[in-house]
Amino acid sequence: MEQDKQTRVRVDPARSAVPLSVWAGEWLERRVIGEGTRCNYAGFVRNHLVPSLGRKPLAGLARRDFERFVQDIYRGGAGLAASTVNDRMVMVAAIMEAAVVDKRITENPARGIRISRRDVVAVDEDAVPTPAEVDLIAAHITPPFRLAVYLQAGTGQRPSEAMAFSNECRRSGFVRIRWQVSAKAHREDCQAPFVPLKHRLEKESRDIPTALFVEQEIDDHLRRWKPVPVIFTGQKGKRIRLETFFAPRQPGAGVMPSIASYGYQFKKACLLAGLVDLDGKAKYTPRSLRHFFASTALANGVPIHEVSRWLGHRSVKTTVDIYGHLLPGAWERCREVLQRSMRPLPLEVTSLPSEAASSSVGN
Protein backbone atom coordinates (compact mmCIF):
# COMPACT_ATOMS: atom_id res chain seq x y z
CA MET A 1 0.00 0.00 0.00
CA GLU A 2 2.90 2.35 0.74
CA GLN A 3 4.34 1.62 -2.71
CA ASP A 4 0.96 2.31 -4.31
CA LYS A 5 0.77 5.63 -2.51
CA GLN A 6 4.25 6.58 -3.66
CA THR A 7 3.33 5.85 -7.27
CA ARG A 8 -0.01 7.67 -6.75
CA VAL A 9 -2.06 4.58 -7.43
CA ARG A 10 -5.47 4.76 -5.80
CA VAL A 11 -7.29 1.43 -5.37
CA ASP A 12 -10.33 1.03 -3.18
CA PRO A 13 -10.06 -2.32 -1.33
CA ALA A 14 -13.83 -2.71 -1.39
CA ARG A 15 -13.95 -2.36 -5.16
CA SER A 16 -11.15 -4.89 -5.65
CA ALA A 17 -13.04 -7.46 -3.56
CA VAL A 18 -15.54 -8.09 -6.39
CA PRO A 19 -15.46 -11.77 -7.46
CA LEU A 20 -14.13 -12.46 -10.94
CA SER A 21 -17.43 -14.11 -11.92
CA VAL A 22 -19.36 -10.91 -11.23
CA TRP A 23 -16.83 -8.66 -12.93
CA ALA A 24 -16.62 -10.91 -16.02
CA GLY A 25 -20.41 -10.83 -16.34
CA GLU A 26 -20.47 -7.05 -16.14
CA TRP A 27 -17.66 -6.80 -18.68
CA LEU A 28 -19.52 -8.99 -21.17
CA GLU A 29 -22.70 -6.94 -20.84
CA ARG A 30 -20.83 -3.76 -21.78
CA ARG A 31 -19.12 -5.21 -24.85
CA VAL A 32 -20.34 -4.23 -28.31
CA ILE A 33 -19.57 -7.46 -30.16
CA GLY A 34 -21.30 -9.85 -32.56
CA GLU A 35 -23.75 -12.35 -31.18
CA GLY A 36 -21.58 -15.28 -32.25
CA THR A 37 -18.56 -13.86 -30.46
CA ARG A 38 -20.65 -13.03 -27.40
CA CYS A 39 -21.97 -16.59 -27.29
CA ASN A 40 -18.45 -18.04 -27.54
CA TYR A 41 -17.10 -15.72 -24.85
CA ALA A 42 -20.03 -16.33 -22.52
CA GLY A 43 -19.68 -20.08 -22.94
CA PHE A 44 -15.98 -19.95 -22.08
CA VAL A 45 -16.63 -17.80 -19.02
CA ARG A 46 -19.48 -20.01 -17.85
CA ASN A 47 -17.90 -23.40 -18.54
CA HIS A 48 -14.23 -22.74 -17.75
CA LEU A 49 -13.34 -19.40 -16.17
CA VAL A 50 -16.02 -19.22 -13.49
CA PRO A 51 -15.69 -22.84 -12.25
CA SER A 52 -11.91 -22.42 -11.89
CA LEU A 53 -11.40 -18.82 -10.75
CA GLY A 54 -14.85 -17.27 -10.49
CA ARG A 55 -15.01 -17.16 -6.70
CA LYS A 56 -11.71 -15.37 -6.26
CA PRO A 57 -11.79 -11.59 -5.76
CA LEU A 58 -10.04 -9.46 -8.36
CA ALA A 59 -7.35 -8.47 -5.87
CA GLY A 60 -6.72 -12.11 -4.99
CA LEU A 61 -5.82 -13.22 -8.51
CA ALA A 62 -2.12 -13.72 -9.30
CA ARG A 63 -0.32 -14.50 -12.51
CA ARG A 64 0.29 -18.08 -11.44
CA ASP A 65 -3.49 -18.56 -11.14
CA PHE A 66 -3.96 -17.81 -14.83
CA GLU A 67 -0.90 -19.84 -15.84
CA ARG A 68 -2.30 -22.86 -14.02
CA PHE A 69 -5.76 -22.19 -15.46
CA VAL A 70 -4.46 -22.22 -19.04
CA GLN A 71 -2.59 -25.48 -18.56
CA ASP A 72 -5.54 -27.13 -16.84
CA ILE A 73 -8.09 -26.38 -19.55
CA TYR A 74 -5.69 -27.26 -22.35
CA ARG A 75 -4.41 -30.53 -20.94
CA GLY A 76 -7.38 -31.44 -18.79
CA GLY A 77 -9.64 -32.88 -21.45
CA ALA A 78 -11.66 -29.75 -22.26
CA GLY A 79 -11.14 -30.43 -25.95
CA LEU A 80 -10.03 -26.90 -26.80
CA ALA A 81 -7.28 -26.33 -29.35
CA ALA A 82 -4.30 -24.20 -28.41
CA SER A 83 -5.42 -21.47 -30.81
CA THR A 84 -8.86 -21.41 -29.16
CA VAL A 85 -7.38 -21.22 -25.67
CA ASN A 86 -5.09 -18.36 -26.74
CA ASP A 87 -7.99 -16.50 -28.32
CA ARG A 88 -10.06 -16.81 -25.14
CA MET A 89 -7.13 -15.70 -22.99
CA VAL A 90 -7.03 -12.46 -24.98
CA MET A 91 -10.58 -11.95 -23.74
CA VAL A 92 -9.63 -12.83 -20.15
CA ALA A 93 -6.72 -10.37 -20.29
CA ALA A 94 -9.14 -7.70 -21.55
CA ILE A 95 -11.46 -8.43 -18.61
CA MET A 96 -8.62 -7.93 -16.13
CA GLU A 97 -7.30 -4.87 -17.99
CA ALA A 98 -10.71 -3.26 -17.62
CA ALA A 99 -10.38 -3.79 -13.86
CA VAL A 100 -7.03 -1.95 -13.95
CA VAL A 101 -8.55 0.96 -15.86
CA ASP A 102 -11.44 1.05 -13.40
CA LYS A 103 -8.96 1.36 -10.51
CA ARG A 104 -9.98 -1.98 -8.99
CA ILE A 105 -6.53 -3.58 -9.26
CA THR A 106 -3.08 -2.13 -9.89
CA GLU A 107 -1.82 -4.54 -12.56
CA ASN A 108 -3.12 -7.15 -14.99
CA PRO A 109 -2.08 -10.68 -13.94
CA ALA A 110 -3.53 -12.24 -17.12
CA ARG A 111 -1.58 -10.14 -19.60
CA GLY A 112 0.40 -12.28 -22.06
CA ILE A 113 -0.77 -15.64 -20.69
CA ARG A 114 -1.07 -18.11 -23.55
CA ILE A 115 -0.21 -21.61 -24.76
CA SER A 116 3.22 -21.49 -26.36
CA ARG A 117 4.16 -23.64 -29.34
CA ARG A 118 6.37 -25.83 -27.17
CA ASP A 119 3.33 -26.68 -25.04
CA VAL A 120 1.20 -27.83 -27.97
CA VAL A 121 0.31 -31.46 -27.42
CA ALA A 122 0.89 -33.82 -30.33
CA VAL A 123 -1.98 -36.16 -31.02
CA ASP A 124 -1.79 -39.45 -29.15
CA GLU A 125 -1.68 -42.39 -31.56
CA ASP A 126 -4.14 -44.19 -29.28
CA ALA A 127 -6.64 -41.38 -29.99
CA VAL A 128 -6.72 -42.30 -33.68
CA PRO A 129 -9.27 -44.98 -34.62
CA THR A 130 -8.50 -47.74 -37.08
CA PRO A 131 -10.43 -48.07 -40.37
CA ALA A 132 -12.44 -50.92 -38.85
CA GLU A 133 -13.35 -48.76 -35.85
CA VAL A 134 -14.46 -45.91 -38.11
CA ASP A 135 -16.83 -48.35 -39.82
CA LEU A 136 -18.06 -49.56 -36.42
CA ILE A 137 -18.91 -46.03 -35.34
CA ALA A 138 -20.71 -45.36 -38.62
CA ALA A 139 -22.67 -48.60 -38.27
CA HIS A 140 -23.85 -47.81 -34.72
CA ILE A 141 -24.56 -44.09 -34.97
CA THR A 142 -28.12 -42.97 -35.69
CA PRO A 143 -28.53 -43.34 -39.50
CA PRO A 144 -28.94 -39.61 -40.36
CA PHE A 145 -25.49 -38.93 -38.88
CA ARG A 146 -23.71 -41.80 -40.65
CA LEU A 147 -22.59 -39.52 -43.48
CA ALA A 148 -21.06 -37.06 -40.99
CA VAL A 149 -18.76 -39.83 -39.75
CA TYR A 150 -17.42 -40.47 -43.24
CA LEU A 151 -17.21 -36.79 -44.13
CA GLN A 152 -14.92 -36.30 -41.16
CA ALA A 153 -12.91 -39.48 -41.66
CA GLY A 154 -12.68 -39.07 -45.44
CA THR A 155 -12.11 -35.32 -45.75
CA GLY A 156 -10.93 -34.20 -42.30
CA GLN A 157 -13.75 -31.74 -41.71
CA ARG A 158 -14.41 -30.31 -38.27
CA PRO A 159 -17.71 -31.44 -36.69
CA SER A 160 -19.22 -27.99 -37.25
CA GLU A 161 -18.22 -28.13 -40.93
CA ALA A 162 -19.65 -31.61 -41.47
CA MET A 163 -22.96 -30.47 -39.92
CA ALA A 164 -23.11 -27.65 -42.50
CA PHE A 165 -22.57 -29.94 -45.50
CA SER A 166 -24.85 -29.13 -48.44
CA ASN A 167 -25.35 -29.78 -52.14
CA GLU A 168 -23.24 -26.71 -52.83
CA CYS A 169 -20.23 -28.49 -51.33
CA ARG A 170 -20.13 -31.23 -53.98
CA ARG A 171 -17.71 -30.92 -56.86
CA SER A 172 -16.19 -33.41 -59.29
CA GLY A 173 -13.61 -35.32 -57.26
CA PHE A 174 -13.57 -32.92 -54.31
CA VAL A 175 -15.73 -31.00 -51.86
CA ARG A 176 -15.68 -27.24 -51.34
CA ILE A 177 -16.16 -26.25 -47.71
CA ARG A 178 -17.33 -22.71 -47.02
CA TRP A 179 -19.66 -22.79 -44.01
CA GLN A 180 -19.81 -24.24 -40.53
CA VAL A 181 -22.75 -24.56 -38.15
CA SER A 182 -23.09 -21.64 -35.75
CA ALA A 183 -22.78 -22.28 -32.03
CA LYS A 184 -26.34 -20.94 -31.74
CA ALA A 185 -27.81 -22.93 -34.64
CA HIS A 186 -29.85 -25.12 -32.29
CA ARG A 187 -31.71 -22.13 -30.82
CA GLU A 188 -35.16 -21.20 -32.08
CA ASP A 189 -34.24 -17.49 -32.36
CA CYS A 190 -31.03 -18.07 -34.34
CA GLN A 191 -31.02 -15.91 -37.49
CA ALA A 192 -27.70 -17.16 -38.90
CA PRO A 193 -27.39 -20.95 -38.50
CA PHE A 194 -24.27 -20.96 -40.69
CA VAL A 195 -21.13 -18.84 -40.26
CA PRO A 196 -17.79 -18.59 -42.12
CA LEU A 197 -15.08 -21.17 -41.52
CA LYS A 198 -12.60 -20.85 -38.71
CA HIS A 199 -9.80 -18.40 -39.59
CA ARG A 200 -11.67 -17.49 -42.80
CA LEU A 201 -13.82 -14.69 -44.16
CA GLU A 202 -17.31 -15.30 -45.50
CA LYS A 203 -16.18 -15.42 -49.13
CA GLU A 204 -13.30 -17.84 -48.45
CA SER A 205 -13.45 -21.62 -48.78
CA ARG A 206 -11.17 -24.64 -49.02
CA ASP A 207 -11.21 -27.63 -51.35
CA ILE A 208 -10.59 -31.20 -50.21
CA PRO A 209 -10.20 -34.24 -52.51
CA THR A 210 -12.75 -37.00 -52.00
CA ALA A 211 -12.16 -40.73 -52.23
CA LEU A 212 -14.70 -42.96 -53.95
CA PHE A 213 -16.14 -44.25 -50.67
CA VAL A 214 -17.00 -40.68 -49.62
CA GLU A 215 -18.85 -40.10 -52.89
CA GLN A 216 -20.72 -43.38 -52.40
CA GLU A 217 -21.72 -42.44 -48.84
CA ILE A 218 -23.04 -39.08 -50.09
CA ASP A 219 -25.08 -40.81 -52.77
CA ASP A 220 -26.45 -43.34 -50.25
CA HIS A 221 -27.43 -40.50 -47.93
CA LEU A 222 -29.26 -38.66 -50.71
CA ARG A 223 -31.17 -41.81 -51.67
CA ARG A 224 -32.63 -41.91 -48.17
CA TRP A 225 -32.98 -38.21 -47.36
CA LYS A 226 -33.48 -35.25 -49.65
CA PRO A 227 -31.61 -32.02 -48.88
CA VAL A 228 -33.54 -29.38 -46.97
CA PRO A 229 -33.39 -25.75 -48.17
CA VAL A 230 -32.27 -23.31 -45.49
CA ILE A 231 -32.30 -19.57 -46.13
CA PHE A 232 -30.30 -17.25 -43.91
CA THR A 233 -28.64 -13.84 -43.95
CA GLY A 234 -24.87 -13.68 -44.32
CA GLN A 235 -22.60 -11.28 -42.48
CA LYS A 236 -22.85 -8.74 -45.31
CA GLY A 237 -26.64 -8.77 -45.31
CA LYS A 238 -27.00 -10.96 -48.40
CA ARG A 239 -29.68 -13.66 -48.38
CA ILE A 240 -28.16 -17.12 -48.89
CA ARG A 241 -29.84 -20.44 -49.63
CA LEU A 242 -28.23 -23.80 -48.91
CA GLU A 243 -29.57 -27.27 -49.68
CA THR A 244 -28.41 -28.79 -46.41
CA PHE A 245 -28.01 -32.47 -45.57
CA PHE A 246 -28.51 -32.37 -41.79
CA ALA A 247 -31.34 -29.86 -41.33
CA PRO A 248 -34.65 -31.04 -39.80
CA ARG A 249 -36.73 -32.87 -42.40
CA GLN A 250 -40.13 -32.90 -40.70
CA PRO A 251 -42.41 -29.92 -40.07
CA GLY A 252 -42.09 -28.80 -36.49
CA ALA A 253 -38.95 -30.87 -35.99
CA GLY A 254 -37.29 -27.84 -34.49
CA VAL A 255 -33.91 -26.40 -35.10
CA MET A 256 -30.63 -27.21 -36.79
CA PRO A 257 -28.65 -30.07 -35.23
CA SER A 258 -25.95 -28.73 -32.95
CA ILE A 259 -22.41 -29.94 -32.51
CA ALA A 260 -23.49 -31.11 -29.06
CA SER A 261 -26.28 -33.30 -30.46
CA TYR A 262 -23.90 -34.87 -32.98
CA GLY A 263 -21.33 -35.37 -30.23
CA TYR A 264 -23.97 -37.08 -28.08
CA GLN A 265 -24.89 -39.48 -30.87
CA PHE A 266 -21.21 -40.12 -31.57
CA LYS A 267 -20.54 -40.98 -27.94
CA LYS A 268 -23.57 -43.25 -27.88
CA ALA A 269 -22.34 -45.03 -31.02
CA CYS A 270 -18.94 -45.68 -29.42
CA LEU A 271 -20.60 -47.20 -26.36
CA LEU A 272 -22.85 -49.40 -28.49
CA ALA A 273 -19.87 -50.54 -30.58
CA GLY A 274 -17.84 -51.38 -27.47
CA LEU A 275 -15.22 -48.71 -28.22
CA VAL A 276 -14.62 -47.73 -24.60
CA ASP A 277 -11.62 -47.03 -22.39
CA LEU A 278 -10.77 -48.68 -19.07
CA ASP A 279 -13.30 -46.46 -17.27
CA GLY A 280 -16.09 -47.53 -19.61
CA LYS A 281 -16.25 -44.13 -21.33
CA ALA A 282 -16.32 -43.55 -25.08
CA LYS A 283 -12.83 -44.09 -26.45
CA TYR A 284 -13.16 -41.54 -29.26
CA THR A 285 -14.71 -38.15 -30.00
CA PRO A 286 -15.70 -36.58 -33.35
CA ARG A 287 -12.28 -34.91 -33.38
CA SER A 288 -10.75 -38.41 -33.53
CA LEU A 289 -12.06 -38.79 -37.09
CA ARG A 290 -10.19 -35.65 -38.11
CA HIS A 291 -7.06 -37.21 -36.62
CA PHE A 292 -7.79 -40.36 -38.63
CA PHE A 293 -7.89 -38.40 -41.89
CA ALA A 294 -4.65 -36.54 -41.17
CA SER A 295 -2.69 -39.53 -39.88
CA THR A 296 -3.82 -41.79 -42.73
CA ALA A 297 -2.88 -39.24 -45.37
CA LEU A 298 0.52 -38.55 -43.81
CA ALA A 299 1.25 -42.25 -43.25
CA ASN A 300 0.87 -42.82 -46.97
CA GLY A 301 3.19 -40.09 -48.14
CA VAL A 302 0.79 -37.18 -48.77
CA PRO A 303 2.81 -33.94 -48.30
CA ILE A 304 2.15 -32.36 -44.93
CA HIS A 305 1.60 -28.89 -46.41
CA GLU A 306 -1.27 -30.30 -48.49
CA VAL A 307 -2.80 -32.02 -45.46
CA SER A 308 -2.47 -28.77 -43.51
CA ARG A 309 -4.38 -26.86 -46.21
CA TRP A 310 -7.14 -29.49 -46.34
CA LEU A 311 -7.50 -29.43 -42.56
CA GLY A 312 -7.89 -25.66 -42.62
CA HIS A 313 -5.00 -24.97 -40.25
CA ARG A 314 -3.85 -21.37 -40.15
CA SER A 315 -0.23 -22.47 -40.42
CA VAL A 316 1.55 -25.66 -41.46
CA LYS A 317 3.44 -25.38 -38.15
CA THR A 318 0.22 -26.32 -36.38
CA THR A 319 -0.03 -29.48 -38.48
CA VAL A 320 3.60 -30.36 -37.80
CA ASP A 321 3.16 -29.85 -34.04
CA ILE A 322 0.10 -32.12 -33.92
CA TYR A 323 0.88 -34.77 -36.53
CA GLY A 324 4.57 -34.46 -37.41
CA HIS A 325 5.54 -37.45 -35.29
CA LEU A 326 3.22 -39.65 -37.36
CA LEU A 327 5.20 -39.21 -40.56
CA PRO A 328 6.29 -42.75 -41.44
CA GLY A 329 9.80 -43.82 -42.23
CA ALA A 330 11.23 -40.33 -41.76
CA TRP A 331 14.14 -41.64 -39.71
CA GLU A 332 14.94 -44.42 -42.16
CA ARG A 333 14.72 -42.08 -45.15
CA CYS A 334 17.03 -39.63 -43.38
CA ARG A 335 19.59 -42.35 -42.71
CA GLU A 336 19.51 -43.52 -46.31
CA VAL A 337 19.83 -40.05 -47.81
CA LEU A 338 22.77 -39.06 -45.61
CA GLN A 339 24.50 -42.39 -46.14
CA ARG A 340 24.25 -42.06 -49.92
CA SER A 341 25.52 -38.50 -49.71
CA MET A 342 28.48 -39.05 -47.39
CA ARG A 343 29.43 -42.73 -47.66
CA PRO A 344 27.80 -44.29 -50.73
CA LEU A 345 27.85 -48.06 -50.66
CA PRO A 346 30.08 -49.64 -53.32
CA LEU A 347 28.24 -50.95 -56.37
CA GLU A 348 27.90 -54.70 -56.50
CA VAL A 349 29.66 -56.32 -59.46
CA THR A 350 27.08 -58.80 -60.55
CA SER A 351 29.26 -60.19 -63.40
CA LEU A 352 31.94 -61.62 -61.13
CA PRO A 353 30.07 -64.73 -59.98
CA SER A 354 29.19 -65.74 -63.58
CA GLU A 355 32.76 -65.12 -64.77
CA ALA A 356 34.14 -67.15 -61.92
CA ALA A 357 31.72 -69.96 -62.70
CA SER A 358 32.67 -70.03 -66.40
CA SER A 359 36.39 -70.08 -65.59
CA SER A 360 35.92 -72.98 -63.21
CA VAL A 361 34.00 -74.91 -65.88
CA GLY A 362 36.81 -74.30 -68.41
CA ASN A 363 39.36 -75.59 -65.99
Side-chain angles (χ1 to χ4, degrees), residues 230-360:
V230 175
I231 300 175
F232 64 100
T233 303
Q235 293 180 341
K236 297 183 178 180
K238 181 180 178 181
R239 299 286 284 172
I240 301 171
R241 174 190 171 103
L242 295 180
E243 301 285 337
T244 60
F245 283 28
F246 297 104
R249 294 174 175 81
Q250 299 175 357
V255 292
M256 290 291 298
S258 66
I259 303 173
S261 63
Y262 171 51
Y264 169 78
Q265 295 295 338
F266 190 95
K267 176 181 178 181
K268 185 178 178 180
C270 287
L271 297 178
L272 291 174
L275 301 177
V276 296
D277 57 19
L278 294 178
D279 296 325
K281 298 180 180 180
K283 186 178 179 181
Y284 302 114
T285 67
R287 184 180 293 269
S288 302
L289 299 179
R290 187 166 157 87
H291 296 331
F292 171 84
F293 168 80
S295 60
T296 302
L298 293 173
N300 289 277
V302 178
I304 195 167
H305 68 276
E306 294 287 357
V307 175
S308 179
R309 182 155 53 89
W310 298 334
L311 290 172
H313 285 163
R314 178 179 292 179
S315 168
V316 71
K317 292 182 180 179
T318 302
T319 316
V320 172
D321 289 338
I322 300 175
Y323 302 108
H325 65 295
L326 299 179
L327 290 173
W331 287 27
E332 186 61 33
R333 289 199 301 272
C334 179
R335 284 193 287 263
E336 292 177 358
V337 168
L338 289 175
Q339 179 65 33
R340 288 197 302 266
S341 176
M342 297 297 297
R343 299 288 187 272
L345 295 176
L347 295 175
E348 295 182 2
V349 183
T350 56
S351 60
L352 287 180
S354 60
E355 292 177 357
S358 60
S359 62
S360 61

Side-chain angles (χ1 to χ4, degrees), residues 32-80:
V32 181
I33 52 180
E35 285 304 314
T37 302
R38 184 181 299 278
C39 181
N40 291 336
Y41 284 1
F44 183 83
V45 169
R46 179 178 61 254
N47 298 326
H48 302 290
L49 187 63
V50 169
S52 297
L53 302 173
R55 294 184 179 182
K56 287 196 171 188
L58 295 176
L61 290 164
R63 188 172 182 83
R64 63 179 178 274
D65 294 320
F66 291 103
E67 291 174 343
R68 188 180 303 113
F69 169 68
V70 165
Q71 293 298 326
D72 287 346
I73 62 174
Y74 181 57
R75 298 178 181 272
L80 299 179

